[in-house]
Amino acid sequence: MSDAYLYAAARTPFGRFAGALAGVRPDDLAATALTGLLDRAPGLDRAAIGDVVWGSANGAGEDNRNVGRMAVLLAGLPVSVPATTVNRLCGSGLDAAIIASRTLESGDADVVVAGGVESMTRAPWVLPKPDRAFPAGHVTAVSTTLGWRLVNPAMPKEWTVSLGECNELLGEKFSISRERQDAFAVRSHRLAARAWDDGFYDDLVLPVEGLARDEGIRPDTDPGRLAALKPSFRPDGTITAGNASPLSDGASAVLLGTGAAADRIGLRPLARIAGRGAHAVEPRMFGFAPVEAAEQALRRAGIGWGDVGAVELNEAFAVQSLACVDAWGVDPEIVNTRGGAIALGHPLGASGGRLLATLAKVLRERRERWGVAAICIGVGQALAVVLENVADEVSRG
């Protein structure tokens, strides 16, 4: 079997809900990320791309069911380049990369693009089709932006509570205070702002529609401002708009290939996909599922937490991030050192590609060998990937 390597990455800035990217269709966002990624490998024959695997959590509107194929066509790639779209909700983009890595390892292709997109702003309202023609009563349009919709009445009610309520329950279970959550959120904004100021994201992010930076970062956020926010899900709750990730728009893409494909791609590999993990729990505890997903990925990579030099954990909510970091027992200072989703944003299908791109670059900058990317997924799932830095031989010392 061949190893799967990450060669390049690109993403759009992540826009705020109804913000700078609100006028951009998700299929156009996807095509922009795909084009920007392939611009990083100008010597690669586009017809040599064996497959494009794309993540999207919605699929109900302009993302057009198979937005991966739409992106290929809109980006002007040869019509011979195939594409598929996968949906594992918040983990769709990371799932796309995992599927792409297996394609490479199995020998079914030498070069595969993976990525994901979400325009949460443009997610449509949907109407269920009536059981019979011309019903006399009113019908209700359901938002497809986030969370449960058109719920099956056979589903246990305790499983279909809001994502916020799920995380209030998680905070109660692990006694994670509002103060800790707010402090975690402040850190996310400050690190994200510093990373942009230091130029960390300059070669990873493509300007779109005049937006050059992630739109949701608030460098002046402080504990006092966050403490003044009202709870969003319970009158006496701990989760607010300040310590949870915002609704966002954006797209990301990563170029993956075998080691033998380096000459064809025209780049040196940056990182090897060394381990993968998928785990599921009771739907209400989805925020804690990354704990075991990461443990699986580490076991499959043949390493332990003591070997890990960097972690990129998607910050869906501060409370679930803290619960995972506590359970892993890792040094919090190696987690999300360039900010996380609370500041950067969380366009569902696009977050997996962002995590991998950031992790690979952090490993190179910190001269670390091993890193973990992990993401929680609504309805009780999580994914994790272990990357090995292969760009920096010093990291192997």
Side-chain angles (χ1 to χ4, degrees):
M1 290 180 64
S2 301
D3 283 326
Y5 294 92
L6 189 154
Y7 281 85
R11 68 173 176 91
T12 70
F14 288 173
R16 296 174 62 184
F17 186 84
L21 301 183
V24 187
R25 290 171 55 112
D27 47 4
D28 286 328
L29 284 172
T32 297
L34 180 55
T35 301
L37 174 74
L38 295 177
D39 284 346
R40 285 150 166 72
L44 173 65
D45 179 2
R46 305 314 192 239
I49 299 170
D51 206 355
V52 173
V53 189
W54 212 258
S56 177
N58 201 323
E62 294 165 336
D63 22 28
N64 263 316
R65 294 181 175 166
N66 186 359
V67 70
R69 177 62 174 169
M70 304 304 168
V72 165
L73 298 176
L74 289 167
L77 269 64
V79 295
S80 60
V81 176
T84 187
T85 299
V86 299
N87 184 348
R88 205 191 285 248
L89 300 182
C90 307
S92 298
L94 196 57
D95 207 13
I98 287 173
I99 292 168
S101 70
R102 293 188 183 120
T103 300
L104 296 166
E105 291 171 359
S106 69
D108 287 346
D110 293 321
V111 180
V112 180
V113 172
V117 66
E118 216 73 50
S119 175
M120 301 180 81
T121 299
R122 299 177 72 87
W125 294 279
V126 297
L127 293 174
K129 288 184 177 179
D131 295 330
R132 58 184 176 82
F134 310 114
H138 298 294
V139 292
T140 301
V142 178
S143 173
T144 65
T145 302
L146 183 69
W148 292 88
R149 63 199 67 152
L150 304 176
V151 179
N152 191 315
M155 194 71 70
K157 291 188 182 301
E158 63 270 22
W159 287 357
T160 62
V161 298
S162 71
L163 300 178
E165 175 60 21
C166 290
N167 279 276
E168 290 285 9
L169 293 169
L170 190 66
E172 286 182 344
K173 180 174 182 178
F174 292 105
S175 301
I176 297 174
S177 68
R178 165 80 180 267
E179 291 72 24
R180 280 192 74 194
Q181 294 175 54
D182 287 350
F184 185 88
V186 168
R187 175 182 182 268
S188 183
H189 282 281
R190 290 180 177 172
L191 290 177
R194 185 185 308 160
W196 270 108
D197 290 344
D198 291 345
F200 176 85
Y201 288 113
D202 288 353
D203 62 346
L204 295 178
V205 178
L206 315 157
V208 178
E209 294 292 305
L211 183 65
R213 288 193 176 198
D214 300 304
E215 194 175 14
I217 302 171
R218 295 183 172 88
D220 57 350
T221 296
D222 59 48
R225 292 187 182 189
L226 294 189
L229 297 176
K230 293 181 179 180
S232 299
F233 303 100
R234 294 181 181 180
D236 60 346
T238 63
I239 298 173
T240 71
N243 59 34
S245 62
L247 304 178
S248 309
D249 307 329
S252 65
V254 292
L255 179 60
L256 304 177
T258 62
D263 289 342
R264 194 182 324 172
I265 294 170
L267 300 171
R268 292 182 58 194
L270 304 175
R272 179 176 70 93
I273 295 181
R276 300 171 291 246
H279 186 62
V281 296
E282 181 198 3
R284 290 183 298 182
M285 291 291 107
F286 78 92
F288 198 62
V291 173
E292 179 55 29
E295 297 286 355
Q296 288 180 15
L298 288 168
R299 287 195 295 271
R300 289 164 184 165
I303 62 170
W305 281 113
D307 301 302
V308 173
V311 176
E312 286 295 320
L313 171 63
N314 194 60
E315 299 169 355
F317 295 83
V319 65
Q320 63 84 207
S321 300
L322 288 165
C324 292
V325 173
D326 290 350
W328 289 329
V330 298
D331 180 358
E333 293 305 310
I334 72 169
V335 179
N336 299 352
T337 59
R338 298 296 185 265
I342 289 173
L344 301 171
H346 178 25
L348 307 180
S351 289
R354 178 191 71 79
L355 293 172
L356 290 177
T358 303
L359 180 60
K361 187 167 183 180
V362 168
L363 289 174
R364 298 195 307 276
E365 286 199 346
R366 295 169 65 94
R367 300 166 71 97
E368 296 285 353
R369 182 174 181 180
W370 302 101
V372 174
I375 192 166
C376 68
I377 302 167
V379 201
Q381 297 192 86
L383 294 172
V385 169
V386 171
L387 288 186
E388 180 187 18
N389 174 17
V390 297
D392 182 5
E393 293 300 324
V394 177
S395 70
R396 296 175 174 274

